[in-house]
Amino acid sequence: MEKRLVQPIHELIERKNERYVQLTHFNEERDQDQTSIIESDEDYGRWVRGHDSLKKRGGEIIRSKAAGTILRKQQIGDKEIVDYVVKYEQFIKIKKKIHSTEMVEERRAIFEKEVLKEDKERIVKKQTKEEKVESSPLTFLDTRELTGHRSNYNRLEAVKYAERWWNDYNPAYKKFKDNCTNYISQCLRAGGAPMTGGGNRASGWWLQKNNWSYSWSVAHSFRWYLSGAKTGLKGVERERARDLVVGDVICYDFNGDGRWQHTTIVVAKDGNGEPLVNAQTTNSRMRYWAYEDSTAWTPNIKYKFFHIVV
């Protein structure tokens, strides 16, 4: 990739990272030389929400770094479009406890006459119904796993899987464009959560060969499956996020309209005892559960907190 494109993007990443750390409040006077092309309203708004949330929790960023990788370039008319990913890693201190949080974001930079004119996050549409998937069929699952046999849920194994695959994709499973619930299902399965059902995609929670239940891969279906399951994997609702333990699950309705769009798994607690979660689609590790720093967040957001039982 040409240096004339790579260098402005890397400089942009460094400036944005520095600016986020220094951000103190929404009414901060903007430096027009730095913000004229690099901050969309969505970006700036989520920075502010994330920073304010951290302050309310008594936390501080003690170190932050960001690095980008170019994915592809295309020419459309007089515009050069560069897709890239940027990985953020922050070390956060809350009380006497320090944890790192990581997030991988896919972005698009648009150049006109070799000048960077626009930079924005490439947002995957949140999945609320089944989608067509092109991938190799699964070969390792056996139909005997769909008999509803009982097993204990090993939370440590679920979290180990969540940590191993948060920013990668297990080739033994299908990968969806919006992969968040598929990833969570894999985590739960790694912890020994038993599959139930089979054949009827609208019933149970299962994956068999080249077929799967809606609840396995669709956030909306998974949320309602957890509430209604009577056997196998079940979810017991908790009132507060802090009532969850590692290996539990949080479901998100970003718009508050009854369509559940996202799922995360609790992998740790911060210094206040609040959950830190892993997720995919926007691949995240040990992210604060409330997602106030997400472009998908709205003031109408609703959550469901599920304690996993089998």
Side-chain angles (χ1 to χ4, degrees), residues 2 58 126 158 174 188 191 197 227 230 236 256 282 299 304:
E2 302 96 318
K126 297 297 179 182
K174 297 181 181 299
L188 297 175
S227 287
K230 302 299 182 183
V236 178
T282 296
K304 283 291 181 182

Side-chain angles (χ1 to χ4, degrees), residues 5 17 35 58 71 116 142 146 155 172 195 263 270 304-305:
L5 300 177
N17 182 57
T35 64
L71 296 177
L116 180 56
D142 193 299
L146 304 176
R155 296 176 182 276
M195 298 183 189
T263 319
D270 67 15
K304 283 291 181 182
F305 310 114

Side-chain angles (χ1 to χ4, degrees), residues 36-67:
S36 58
I37 62 169
I38 68 172
E39 289 179 7
S40 67
D41 290 340
E42 291 82 4
D43 280 338
Y44 194 62
R46 67 184 172 128
W47 293 354
V48 171
R49 291 193 303 270
H51 194 278
D52 287 350
S53 172
L54 184 59
K55 286 175 63 179
K56 289 176 183 177
R57 290 149 49 207
E60 62 174 321
I61 298 173
I62 59 176
R63 184 183 176 193
S64 180
K65 57 184 180 180

Side-chain angles (χ1 to χ4, degrees), residues 7 12 20 65 98-99 167 196 198 207 229 247 274 281 285 307:
Q7 185 170 340
L12 171 61
Y20 177 76
K65 57 184 180 180
I98 297 174
H99 70 270
N167 194 32
T196 54
L207 182 143
E274 294 287 343
T281 302
R285 175 180 177 268
H307 176 62

Side-chain angles (χ1 to χ4, degrees), residues 23-36:
L23 184 64
T24 56
H25 54 81
F26 188 81
N27 292 323
E28 176 187 15
E29 183 178 351
R30 298 189 180 191
D31 180 342
Q32 293 299 322
D33 291 337
Q34 290 193 8
T35 64
S36 58

Side-chain angles (χ1 to χ4, degrees), residues 74-272:
Q74 57 182 316
Q75 185 90 33
I76 300 180
D78 60 353
K79 295 182 179 180
E80 290 179 287
I81 298 175
V82 180
D83 292 331
Y84 68 98
V85 293
V86 56
K87 182 178 180 180
Y88 302 94
E89 184 176 12
Q90 297 172 348
F91 293 85
I92 295 173
K93 183 177 181 181
I94 297 180
K95 295 181 178 177
K96 294 183 178 181
K97 188 173 182 179
I98 297 174
H99 70 270
S100 66
T101 181
E102 300 176 77
M103 183 176 72
V104 177
E105 182 179 270
E106 188 167 340
R107 300 191 67 87
R108 170 166 288 179
I110 300 177
F111 291 81
E112 293 184 26
K113 298 179 180 179
E114 300 190 0
V115 177
L116 180 56
K117 292 292 187 181
E118 185 178 357
D119 179 84
K120 59 185 178 181
E121 182 183 5
R122 295 191 68 201
I123 301 173
V124 175
K125 183 179 179 181
K126 297 297 179 182
Q127 181 186 1
T128 56
K129 60 182 180 180
E130 183 65 307
E131 61 182 24
K132 292 183 179 179
V133 180
E134 295 182 4
S135 63
S136 300
L138 296 166
T139 58
F140 70 98
L141 291 178
D142 193 299
T143 55
R144 287 173 295 179
E145 293 186 323
L146 304 176
T147 59
H149 71 279
R150 299 192 62 80
S151 68
N152 294 324
Y153 178 46
N154 188 323
R155 296 176 182 276
L156 177 59
E157 289 301 316
V159 170
K160 283 170 62 178
Y161 188 96
E163 288 285 271
R164 167 62 181 87
W165 294 104
W166 75 272
N167 194 32
D168 201 356
Y169 303 94
N170 187 340
Y173 288 93
K174 297 181 181 299
K175 177 179 179 291
F176 294 78
K177 184 177 181 181
D178 184 349
N179 205 58
C180 68
T181 305
N182 180 37
Y183 164 70
I184 299 303
S185 289
Q186 292 173 36
C187 294
L188 297 175
R189 184 62 186 147
M195 298 183 189
T196 54
N200 181 357
R201 302 188 70 194
S203 177
W205 177 77
W206 54 273
L207 182 143
Q208 174 191 6
K209 299 297 184 181
N210 200 31
N211 200 11
W212 57 91
S213 65
Y214 295 131
S215 61
W216 182 276
S217 63
V218 180
H220 185 75
S221 299
F222 181 67
R223 174 262 181 270
W224 287 108
Y225 169 78
L226 286 180
S227 287
K230 302 299 182 183
T231 61
L233 173 68
K234 300 181 290 293
V236 178
E237 291 189 32
R238 299 293 192 225
E239 289 188 10
R240 303 177 303 170
R242 67 182 300 117
D243 295 330
L244 300 178
V245 297
V246 296
D248 285 340
V249 167
I250 303 177
C251 299
Y252 300 74
D253 172 2
F254 288 113
N255 301 310
D257 60 2
R259 299 298 296 176
W260 297 84
Q261 303 138 312
H262 190 50
T263 319
T264 67
I265 184 169
V266 178
V267 295
K269 293 287 191 78
D270 67 15
N272 292 326

